[in-house]
Amino acid sequence: MPRTSIIPFGPQHPAFLEPLHLKLQLEEERVVGVEPSLGYNHRGMEYAMEKDWKRNFFLSERVCGICSFHHSTTYSQAMEAMTGTQAPERARLIRIIMLEVQRVTSHTLALGHMAEAMGYENLFMQFFREREEFMRVANEVSGNRVHYCMNWLGGVRRDIAPELAKSIEQRMDATQGRLEELAKVVRKDSTWLKRTKGVGVLSKRQAETWAVVGPVARASGLSYDVRQSGNAAYAMDGTKFKPVWREEGDTWARCMVRMDETLQSVALIRQGLGLLREGPIESKFKGNPTGEGFSRDEAPRGELMYWVKANGTSSLDRVKVRTPAFMNIPPLGEMLMNEQFANVPVIVVSVDPCICCTDR
Amino acid sequence: MGMMRRSIINLFSRPYTSKYPKVKAQLPEGNRGRVEWNMEDCIFCMLCQKNCPTVAIATDKAGGTQSITRNRCLACSRCVEVCPKKCIRMVPEYSEPVLLPEVHVYVIGMKKWDYKVERIDTKTRWR
Amino acid sequence: MIDVRDKLRQAESLGPARLISIFPVDNANGTLDIIYMFQVGSEVVQHRYAIREDEELDSLSDLFKGALNMEREMVDLFGLKVKDVEGGLLLCPESGVIRPLRKPAKQTDERKEGGDA
């Protein structure tokens, strides 16, 4: 009768960049039990955010490095919902443009990391070359490549000059062709298909029970995206936003959803730049806020929610951050059952874990 | 044959990477870097110290100095925005690694935008 | 909280409910508000319950498996009691940090064995 052995897939591992611990029970190369363990990166962000509501515009960015502008924007939108301030139209469009630039950098990093986990180093370098163009765009608009520091209550703090907007539009046209070439590789390349088709399946019923969000949910048949409705809706120019979704539920579908969303983001950046009109970029707010407010946004990994309660002083009563990676990591137990051991890094990377978001 | 074609093209073209640190990093204008004071116009209202999110600025009215702990500065430019006399500016700079935390001290009487560099010894004091 | 399950079943006539979050808010006088946030259709629905700090809560993890980690976080950071749910998600038992997000009653000023500021 076969014996089971327990292998720690530990917080330090060459295939993984995130400090996540999995205790795998193997029966001769097949996984029969999984126990994930979190908490390696807990910094107490919710406690630190209660001290000063003005410092939080910069502190909330530092919860995560790859979706930092999404955290900052969601916090600003939660404070704006609490105080009843409305950001002007130009500020909203600048926020949408920078959010989509960040989404492209995050998705190309996730796909490049996926190629690296499979051993496909050439494709990893190609993805990072395309990503570099968007990092330079972010550098020219906000002054920094990663933490943009552009948000404040009621608008944004830096503007996009008209010459810069024209130069960004021209570069988007050039990058689109190269990204479509890479999309063809993700769709048809035989190495990629052999490692990702039919691997790590999450059915629609399981996705609903585990309440997953983001590309993991959209690859399993739940066509849900925060950008469709609510106060963060992307109804630019009268057109409705159509999310990208698939039905297969395996690793290939998740990667394909991310690749299609990258191309969709390039089109959204171009659309946003074309809609920019003259106007103010900030509406003033004086004093300290009071009350409760919440806001949701579609981060690259899924739905991000901030709930804030203030009491009229310079500190806050409660800040709750519900990050998307927190919901996507527990279903790993279902996805990894009865898979080969060599597929474990590929499946874990396809879920796009971000432990600094999970542990805050 | 997408990857094969792209690999052959890449084999015969120039490399995309640059030889940093022999070649300096190209910073666009408007890059965030270092904050500088013009001590001739400073009125010591201490608004920059109150609004700094990381408590990096220390104003000394009696001694007439402004000092900024470089490692704590995020380059968020809140101090530039709130200064009533507009005597603070931000210049693009690619900050180099240092062995000990640095403090830039601006004293009344020095040349405009000039500063002196002090080092904090982390064994005795880390503010 | 048997009440939450009943309210959910009434709301399900509008469409399936999706769990967004479960979290407590400390009122600094010995009571807490537990907020259950769901999405039904295209609306966000919040159910609030006021409890004392020593009451035991019922777990939603048989209806929604994703609620288990949220309840473990409540047990860890706030010291609440949830049926059949143990803490240990984010804090180590040997770290000495106990219930860091609870606020003391409004007369005193120190935190109860919280972390460093």
Side-chain angles (χ1 to χ4, degrees):
Chain A
M1 103 154 209
R3 294 186 309 177
T4 60
S5 46
I6 300 189
I7 306 262
F9 201 71
Q12 268 100 6
H13 197 274
F16 244 14
L17 296 179
E18 304 284 339
L20 165 70
H21 178 71
L22 294 173
K23 210 186 275 190
L24 299 170
Q25 268 185 329
L26 294 184
E27 206 180 88
E28 289 179 9
E29 296 280 334
R30 206 168 45 98
V31 175
V32 293
V34 181
E35 241 181 75
S37 155
L38 300 168
Y40 287 93
N41 216 349
H42 179 66
R43 296 162 283 169
M45 278 295 199
E46 295 184 357
Y47 181 101
M49 283 199 202
E50 286 175 10
K51 304 286 184 177
D52 184 3
W53 70 268
K54 288 188 189 164
R55 180 177 84 161
N56 281 346
F57 291 100
F58 308 112
L59 188 60
S60 60
E61 279 191 332
R62 277 135 176 99
V63 172
C64 179
I66 196 79
C67 46
S68 65
F69 195 66
H70 292 264
H71 279 268
S72 168
T73 306
T74 316
Y75 175 72
S76 308
Q77 283 171 345
M79 297 297 275
E80 284 165 12
M82 185 204 294
T83 58
T85 332
Q86 182 90 345
E89 185 64 24
R90 192 177 165 99
R92 221 187 115 248
L93 280 173
I94 293 181
R95 273 183 185 164
I96 289 181
I97 292 169
M98 297 312 286
L99 287 173
E100 294 305 315
V101 167
Q102 184 126 73
R103 191 186 311 275
V104 174
T105 59
S106 173
H107 280 326
T108 40
L109 184 135
L111 289 165
H113 185 32
M114 178 71 154
E116 189 199 17
M118 282 194 234
Y120 205 159
E121 293 268 342
N122 191 356
L123 189 59
F124 162 65
M125 294 294 180
Q126 305 283 344
F127 272 118
F128 270 68
R129 183 169 66 170
E130 302 316 318
R131 182 175 186 250
E132 184 65 22
E133 187 62 53
F134 291 92
M135 300 298 267
R136 286 196 189 139
V137 166
N139 199 354
E140 286 166 18
V141 174
S142 71
N144 200 2
R145 282 163 68 108
V146 182
H147 290 309
Y148 302 163
C149 288
M150 265 170 76
N151 266 319
W152 198 255
L153 217 183
V156 292
R157 294 162 69 214
R158 280 175 83 119
D159 206 352
I160 303 185
E163 310 85 41
L164 183 57
K166 214 179 307 201
S167 133
I168 296 177
E169 271 192 78
Q170 285 165 353
R171 280 183 277 170
M172 289 298 118
D173 295 331
T175 352
Q176 177 140 8
R178 293 198 293 267
L179 281 172
E180 276 171 2
E181 220 182 275
L182 287 173
K184 227 184 332 182
V185 171
V186 174
R187 199 178 304 137
K188 295 207 190 121
D189 189 73
S190 52
T191 313
W192 189 281
L193 289 178
K194 274 194 192 134
R195 295 260 356 222
T196 56
K197 268 277 192 196
V199 164
V201 178
L202 189 71
S203 70
K204 187 170 176 184
R205 183 81 204 110
Q206 282 171 334
E208 279 170 353
T209 329
W210 286 96
V212 290
V213 288
V216 181
R218 288 200 281 281
S220 295
L222 303 171
S223 86
Y224 174 65
D225 195 324
V226 178
R227 294 176 279 178
Q228 277 172 299
S229 59
N231 60 351
Y234 274 26
M236 292 197 285
D237 207 11
T239 54
K240 278 178 72 104
F241 179 83
K242 291 202 200 45
V244 175
W245 62 285
R246 288 195 173 254
E247 292 211 337
E248 292 95 353
D250 57 0
T251 309
W252 181 82
R254 281 174 232 138
C255 294
M256 210 53 225
V257 165
R258 288 192 185 109
M259 193 73 230
D260 286 336
E261 279 189 1
T262 312
L263 292 168
Q264 188 187 42
S265 289
V266 174
L268 280 172
I269 295 173
R270 221 188 274 130
Q271 190 185 10
L273 285 170
L275 287 176
L276 277 177
R277 299 279 169 266
E278 297 279 324
I281 53 171
E282 197 170 7
S283 26
K284 290 274 175 216
F285 173 77
K286 295 220 181 300
N288 285 326
T290 323
E292 288 176 7
F294 78 94
S295 172
R296 302 182 296 157
D297 204 12
E298 180 79 12
R301 280 156 185 77
E303 175 203 44
L304 172 66
M305 196 268 301
Y306 265 71
W307 190 93
V308 194
K309 180 172 175 191
N311 54 11
T313 65
S314 71
S315 50
L316 296 171
D317 256 348
R318 174 82 166 111
V319 177
K320 167 68 186 170
V321 182
R322 203 292 316 252
T323 48
F326 192 75
M327 310 299 296
N328 284 346
I329 291 189
L332 276 179
E334 310 252 332
M335 280 193 236
L336 285 175
M337 290 300 283
N338 292 323
E339 291 285 343
Q340 295 290 317
F341 183 49
N343 280 336
V344 169
V346 169
I347 297 173
V348 178
V349 170
S350 83
V351 151
D352 217 356
C354 177
I355 301 295
C356 42
C357 270
T358 312
D359 290 344
R360 286 154 283 134
Chain B
M1 284 304 220
M3 278 309 281
M4 189 66 114
R5 183 175 156 268
R6 174 50 63 181
S7 307
I8 294 179
I9 294 177
N10 284 346
L11 195 59
F12 295 110
S13 33
R14 270 184 326 144
Y16 188 69
T17 50
S18 64
K19 290 191 188 340
Y20 180 82
K22 274 192 236 163
V23 171
K24 286 271 170 214
Q26 296 163 326
L27 299 173
E29 53 170 83
N31 199 52
R32 305 183 342 228
R34 190 178 68 221
V35 172
E36 296 185 330
W37 270 261
N38 177 12
M39 294 309 282
E40 293 163 16
D41 294 337
C42 179
I43 56 172
F44 293 95
C45 63
M46 298 178 132
L47 272 178
C48 52
Q49 181 181 325
K50 282 189 206 141
N51 278 295
C52 178
T54 50
V55 197
I57 300 179
T59 314
D60 188 3
K61 193 160 181 177
T65 62
Q66 295 267 15
S67 48
I68 175 166
T69 310
R70 278 297 278 132
N71 294 57
R72 287 191 163 211
C73 175
L74 304 175
C76 63
S77 58
R78 278 289 288 160
C79 49
V80 176
E81 275 176 23
V82 301
C83 177
K85 290 286 177 190
K86 303 288 172 222
C87 63
I88 313 183
R89 73 172 185 184
M90 176 164 291
V91 291
E93 185 203 52
Y94 194 78
S95 48
E96 312 258 310
V98 288
L99 285 174
L100 282 175
E102 271 188 5
V103 176
H104 288 188
V105 181
Y106 293 80
V107 192
I108 294 188
M110 291 169 94
K111 234 168 29 154
K112 193 175 173 185
W113 309 122
D114 202 13
Y115 59 93
K116 63 178 174 165
V117 178
E118 287 176 2
R119 300 239 136 83
I120 308 181
D121 184 8
T122 45
K123 290 195 206 37
T124 52
R125 169 180 83 97
W126 174 228
R127 185 181 76 85
Chain C
M1 309 304 284
I2 312 292
D3 206 17
V4 177
R5 293 164 198 250
D6 279 347
K7 277 196 186 160
L8 269 186
R9 261 178 225 118
Q10 287 166 15
E12 289 227 321
S13 55
L14 296 169
R18 189 179 70 95
L19 175 69
I20 296 182
S21 190
I22 306 174
F23 57 98
V25 178
D26 196 342
N27 290 328
N29 55 5
T31 63
L32 295 118
D33 285 339
I34 313 279
I35 300 184
Y36 289 78
M37 209 185 241
F38 290 95
Q39 170 165 356
V40 181
S42 63
E43 302 280 315
V44 173
V45 169
Q46 293 187 34
H47 296 307
R48 302 183 125 189
Y49 298 94
I51 63 163
R52 289 185 322 270
E53 59 189 1
D54 47 356
E55 264 183 62
E56 193 186 0
L57 296 174
D58 203 3
S59 166
L60 269 188
S61 48
D62 47 347
L63 287 180
F64 292 100
K65 287 196 202 151
L68 182 65
N69 267 358
M70 296 176 185
E71 287 163 355
R72 285 177 78 189
E73 188 191 338
M74 280 207 292
V75 169
D76 252 347
L77 298 177
F78 282 84
L80 298 176
K81 287 194 278 269
V82 185
K83 198 161 88 161
D84 297 333
V85 168
E86 289 169 4
L89 182 75
L90 295 174
L91 298 175
C92 280
E94 55 266 355
S95 69
V97 173
I98 306 175
R99 322 190 307 172
L101 280 177
R102 289 295 305 278
K103 295 196 207 313
K106 283 208 173 100
Q107 285 89 11
T108 60
D109 254 340
E110 302 106 76
R111 295 236 160 192
K112 274 192 198 142
E113 296 178 66
D116 300 324

